[in-house]
DNA sequence: AATGGAGTGGCAAACGTTTTCAAGGGCAAG
DNA sequence: CTTGCCCTTGAAAACGTTTGCCACTCCATT
C-alpha cells in the first residue's frame, strides 16, 4: 500500500524506483486483484491486459491474449465496473422508481425490467417512493449521483402541477448529463414510453358488460390525485356516452384504490342508484365491492355483476372469482427494458403500446333483456 | 474536453500551461459539473472544495465554506459517487438477491430493506433469481464487480450441497474484498442474520389448533428442495410429537408452495386420513386447500379447519378469511438493513430474531370434545 | 524579538480502468 | 538494402474524487 517514494519531487520521477508498489508474488486467489496484477502475472502491460479483458477492438495476438486470460483466471480477476464507468461515462446501471415495491403490480414491472436488463449486463437500482413526491425527487437526485445511465418511472404520477415542475427540472438536469428517461404508461414526463392504454381498457370492459346486456353500470374510481385515475375514468365516461348508457355523477364513486375504499364506494352506489353491474378501477376495489355486496345480502353476479381491472393474483381467489381486465405488468417492464436499451444504444425507439385482455371468471352475469 | 497540451513530456509539466482544460465561464446550470468547476467558481483548490462537500473533518473557514457551498449550489453540483467510491473503497450500494421480486413476500422484504438503507444514503440493487442457482451465482459475481458493500440473501436457499459449495466459494471471495454478507432467515450461508423462527411458527400454530380441541391434524408441506420447507416441516413433526397427536406419514402431503399444489395435496389428505384440521406451510397452499375442500362439499371451518402461514394480502380475501401466522416480512427487511449497517460500521451485530403472531380469522373452528 | 502552535489551504498522488499516441518488429515491395 | 506498411505492444493521460503531507499566516507565548 505505502508508496515507496516519500520525498517531494515535482514529477515523482526518481530514476529507477517504481511509484507503484511491487506485488508480492504469492497471493493468488486472495484479496482484491486489479488489472495491474493480471498484467504483471501475464508479463504484459496494463493497457494490453485491459484490451483483452474489455473485449476491445484493438487487436491483440492470440498468444498474449491467452496469457492474459489465464492470468485473470488464476487470480479470479473481476474488473472494477466503477473505475470503468469513470472513464467510459457508462455505469451500466439503471434506476427504477415505483410507488410501492411490495405491490405485486409494481413487482411484476420491476421483474420484467430486471429480466430484460440483466441479460444485457445492466444492474437495476430500485426505489419505493410511497407516492411521496419529495422522496421521488430525492431518488432522482441520488440515482443521478450514482451516475445511472437511465431512470425508469414506473410510478404513475401525480396530477399536482408543482410536483410535475419539480420533477421536470430535476430530470432535465439528468438528461443533460446524457441520461435517458423512460416512462412506463401514464406520466407527465416526456421520454420513450411503453403505453398501456388504460382508457381503452376500461372502455372495453364497459363494452363487454354492454354485450352482456347491462345498461345501468356504476363505476368505482381511483384517487383523483393520481393521473391514472383520471385516464381510467375518462375511459368509463366516453364508453358510457358511446353506448348511450344511463349516466350521471351518481353512477361514480371514489374508492381510493383500496379494498375498504372499494367497499365504501359500493355502499354509496347501492344507496344512490340502481345498477346491474359495477366496474372498479382496480381489482382491490372490486374485491371490496364484492365483499360489501355479499355482506348486504346482494348476490354476485346474479343480482349485481362486478368487474375489475389489473388482474392481480388475488383476483382469482376472492369471494367470487373476479372477471377483470389483465394489465400486462410483466410485459410492460420487459418492453420498458427493450426501449431503454435501444435508447441507450443511441437509437430513438418508438413507443410501444400494449393491449389488454379480458379475463372471464365468475363475477359477471348476463342480464336477461325483457323483449 | 480536448487537452490543451499534446506534446510528449515525462511529467506533463510545461512552465505555465495547465494540463487541465480551462472552463468556459458561462455555463452555469448546464452540463455535468465536477468539483473542479465548483473550486474554480469559488476561487479555491479542488481539495478545499472536496473537504467542504464531503464533510471532511479537516477544518475549513466558514467564509470559504460558504463560497464553496454557494458555488456548488449555483452549478447544482452533485458529487460523483463512483469517483468517490473508487478512492474510499465504499460504494454506498448493496445488492439483494430474492427468489421472485413479484412475490409480495419478497417485495415486502425488499421494501423494508430499501426503507432502512435509503435513509442512510445507501442504494439498493435488486436481483430476482427465479430460484435458479446459476443465476444467483451470476448475481453475486455481478454485484461484486459493481463493488457493492454488502450482499443480502433473502432467497431461502436450496438444500442441494453442490449449490451450497459454489455459493460459499463465490461469497468467500466477496468477503475477502471486505464485503459483508447478510442473511435473512434460513440459509446455508454464514453471516449476520435476522432469524425468523419458522420452526416455532408452525409449532405454535399446531399448538393453537390443539387448544381448539383438534387431535388429528394434517400438514401440507412445501417443496423439499427448499431449506425452509424442511424447517417448517420439522416444526410440525416436533409439535405433533410434543402434543401426542395422531401421527404418520399419511398425515403429510406435498403442496409445492402453489395454490393448485395445495389443492392436490388436500385431495390426497382427504383420501388417506380423517383429520379435523389442516395446516399448510404457506397461505397460497391453504387457499388451494380451502378451494378443494369447498369443491368437494366439505365446509370450512365447520367440518375441517384450515390454517396457513405467511399472512399474505390474499389471506384475508380468500373463499374463507384465513386464520394464519403472520410472518413479519417488512420487519425482516427492516432489521436486515439495521444489522447490515452495523456490520458495515465495523461492529459485529447480534443476530436478531423475530417472532410471529397468529392472525385469527374465520377458517378455524373449535371442535366439540365429547366428554 | 524569536519561538511555536493552531488554524487554513494547496499540491499531488492514488483509486482501477480505458484510450490516444507513438514506437518497435517483421515483412513485402521497390 | 532501403522504404513503407501492418501488426502488436507499451507509456501515460484522463475520468472525478479523497487525503497525506507540507506551507503559510496569525497570534500568543517566552
Amino acid at each position: 500500500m505505502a508508496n515507496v517514494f516519500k520525498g517531494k519531487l515535482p514529477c515523482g520521477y526518481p530514476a529507477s524506483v517504481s511509484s507503484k508498489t511491487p506485488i508480492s508474488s504469492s497471493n493468488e486467489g486472495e484479496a482484491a486483484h486489479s488489472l495491474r496484477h493480471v498484467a504483471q502475472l501475464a508479463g504484459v502491460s496494463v493497457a494490453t491486459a485491459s484490451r483483452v479483458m474489455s473485449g476491445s477492438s484493438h487487436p491483440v495476438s492470440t498468444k498474449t491474449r491467452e496469457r492474459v486470460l489465464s492470468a485473470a483466471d488464476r487470480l479470479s480477476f473481476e474488473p472494477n465496473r466503477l473505475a470503468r464507468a469513470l472513464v467510459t461515462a457508462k455505469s451500466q446501471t439503471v434506476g427504477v422508481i415505483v410507488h410501492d415495491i411490495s405491490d405485486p403490480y409494481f413487482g411484476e414491472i420491476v421483474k420484467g425490467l430486471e429480466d430484460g436488463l440483466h441479460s444485457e449486463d445492466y444492474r437495476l437500482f430500485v426505489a419505493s417512493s410511497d407516492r411521496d413526491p419529495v422522496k421521488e425527487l430525492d431518488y432522482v437526485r441520488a440515482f443521478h449521483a450514482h451516475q445511472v445511465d437511465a431512470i425508469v418511472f414506473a410510478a404513475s404520477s401525480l396530477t399536482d402541477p408543482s410536483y410535475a415542475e419539480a420533477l421536470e427540472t430535476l430530470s432535465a438536469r439528468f438528461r443533460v448529463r446524457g441520461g435517458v428517461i423512460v416512462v412506463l404508461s401514464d406520466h407527465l414526463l416526456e421520454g420513450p414510453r411503453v403505453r398501456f392504454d388504460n382508457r381503452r381498457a376500461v372502455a372495453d370492459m364497459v363494452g363487454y358488460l354492454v354485450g352482456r346486456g347491462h345498461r345501468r353500470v356504476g363505476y368505482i374510481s381511483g384517487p383523483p390525485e393520481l393521473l391514472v385515475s383520471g385516464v381510467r375514468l375518462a375511459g368509463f365516461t366516453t364508453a358510457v356516452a358511446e353506448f348511450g348508457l344511463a349516466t350521471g355523477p351518481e353512477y361514480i364513486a371514489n374508492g381510493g384504490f383500496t379494498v375498504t375504499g372499494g367497499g365504501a364506494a359500493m355502499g354509496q352506489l347501492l344507496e344512490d342508484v340502481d345498477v346491474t353491474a359495477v366496474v372498479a378501477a382496480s381489482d382491490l376495489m372490486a374485491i371490496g365491492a364484492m365483499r360489501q355486496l355479499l355482506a348486504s345480502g346482494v348476490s354476485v353476479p346474479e343480482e349485481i355483476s362486478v368487474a375489475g381491472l389489473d388482474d392481480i393474483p388475488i383476483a382469482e381467489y376472492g369471494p367470487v372469482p373476479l372477471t377483470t381486465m389483465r394489465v400486462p405488468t410483466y410485459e410492460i417492464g420487459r418492453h420498458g427494458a427493450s426501449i431503454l436499451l435501444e435508447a441507450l444504444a443511441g437509437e430513438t425507439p418508438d413507443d410501444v403500446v400494449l393491449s389488454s385482455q379480458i379475463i372471464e371468471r365468475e363475477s359477471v352475469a348476463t342480464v336477461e333483456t325483457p323483449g
Side-chain angles (χ1 to χ4, degrees), chain A:
Chain A
M1 291 301 161
N3 194 319
V4 172
F5 177 73
K6 292 289 191 180
K8 186 174 177 177
L9 228 106
C11 310
Y13 202 61
S16 56
V17 177
S18 163
S19 80
K20 303 290 183 180
T21 311
I23 295 157
S24 81
S25 48
S26 61
N27 60 347
E28 295 177 19
E30 284 304 323
H33 294 296
S34 76
L35 261 188
R36 195 155 50 84
H37 300 79
V38 174
Q40 185 166 88
L41 183 58
V44 300
S45 73
V46 173
T48 305
S50 167
R51 289 195 258 259
V52 1
M53 295 313 294
S54 65
S56 159
S57 62
H58 190 110
V60 171
S61 76
T62 37
K63 208 182 75 190
T64 53
R65 156 164 285 116
E66 278 168 12
R67 298 245 314 263
V68 171
L69 252 21
S70 105
D73 190 59
R74 275 176 55 192
L75 300 178
S76 55
F77 167 77
E78 195 68 55
N80 183 329
R81 310 302 282 265
L82 266 39
R84 174 181 296 180
L86 201 55
V87 14
T88 60
K90 293 267 142 237
S91 65
Q92 298 282 123
T93 60
V94 347
V96 60
I97 300 178
V98 300
H99 275 335
D100 180 1
I101 186 61
S102 71
D103 182 337
Y105 182 95
F106 293 112
E108 293 269 3
I109 290 180
V110 169
K111 187 181 184 183
L113 261 176
E114 214 277 324
D115 280 358
L117 256 23
H118 177 65
S119 55
E120 299 299 319
D121 205 23
Y122 278 85
R123 299 303 141 245
L124 185 63
F125 284 119
V126 73
S128 192
S129 75
D130 275 330
R131 295 186 170 72
D132 179 350
V134 178
K135 263 184 164 183
E136 287 188 16
L137 261 23
D138 189 47
Y139 276 117
V140 172
R141 190 201 48 71
F143 284 163
H144 187 163
H146 277 272
Q147 312 295 116
V148 298
D149 296 332
I151 295 180
V152 179
F153 284 89
S156 52
S157 76
L158 306 180
T159 50
D160 181 348
S162 73
Y163 160 81
E165 191 185 355
L167 198 54
E168 181 50 52
T169 60
L170 212 45
S171 304
R173 210 128 75 208
F174 175 71
R175 267 187 264 251
V176 165
R177 219 216 72 217
V180 354
I181 288 185
V182 170
V183 178
L184 304 188
S185 204
D186 303 301
H187 206 284
L188 295 164
L189 246 24
E190 290 302 318
R193 175 180 309 240
V194 9
R195 294 187 182 281
F196 169 72
D197 197 337
N198 280 291
R199 203 163 166 289
R200 169 93 180 275
V202 353
D204 284 355
M205 178 56 91
V206 173
Y208 170 81
L209 290 174
V210 169
R212 295 298 179 114
H214 296 273
R215 309 291 301 168
R216 300 189 307 279
V217 354
Y219 183 72
I220 301 179
S221 177
E225 64 271 21
L226 250 37
L227 209 56
V228 67
S229 299
V231 177
R232 289 188 175 182
L233 177 57
F236 177 73
T237 53
T238 56
V240 161
E242 183 180 334
F243 292 113
L245 303 187
T247 182
E250 67 276 18
Y251 280 88
I252 296 171
N254 189 341
F257 273 160
T258 65
V259 173
T260 51
M266 188 66 243
Q268 189 183 323
L269 251 26
L270 277 177
E271 282 188 16
D272 294 353
V273 287
D274 176 30
V275 297
T276 63
V278 165
V279 2
S282 82
D283 284 355
L284 242 31
M285 295 194 296
I287 287 173
M290 288 196 294
R291 286 165 63 89
Q292 174 67 34
L293 252 16
L294 265 18
S296 306
V298 181
S299 63
V300 177
E302 291 77 10
E303 296 178 77
I304 294 187
S305 293
V306 174
L309 196 67
D310 281 349
D311 194 30
I312 59 179
I314 314 185
E316 189 174 354
Y317 307 120
V320 177
L322 183 69
T323 290
T324 187
M325 207 72 163
R326 182 169 126 71
V327 175
T329 46
Y330 179 84
E331 287 79 4
I332 289 176
R334 198 64 200 243
H335 281 96
S338 298
I339 64 176
L340 181 46
L341 290 167
E342 282 182 49
L344 248 18
E347 306 163 27
T348 59
D350 293 329
D351 286 6
V352 353
V353 0
L354 262 23
S355 60
S356 54
Q357 179 194 357
I358 211 155
I359 308 290
E360 294 190 82
R361 284 195 274 252
E362 300 165 25
S363 66
V364 170
T366 301
V367 10
E368 308 300 329
T369 44

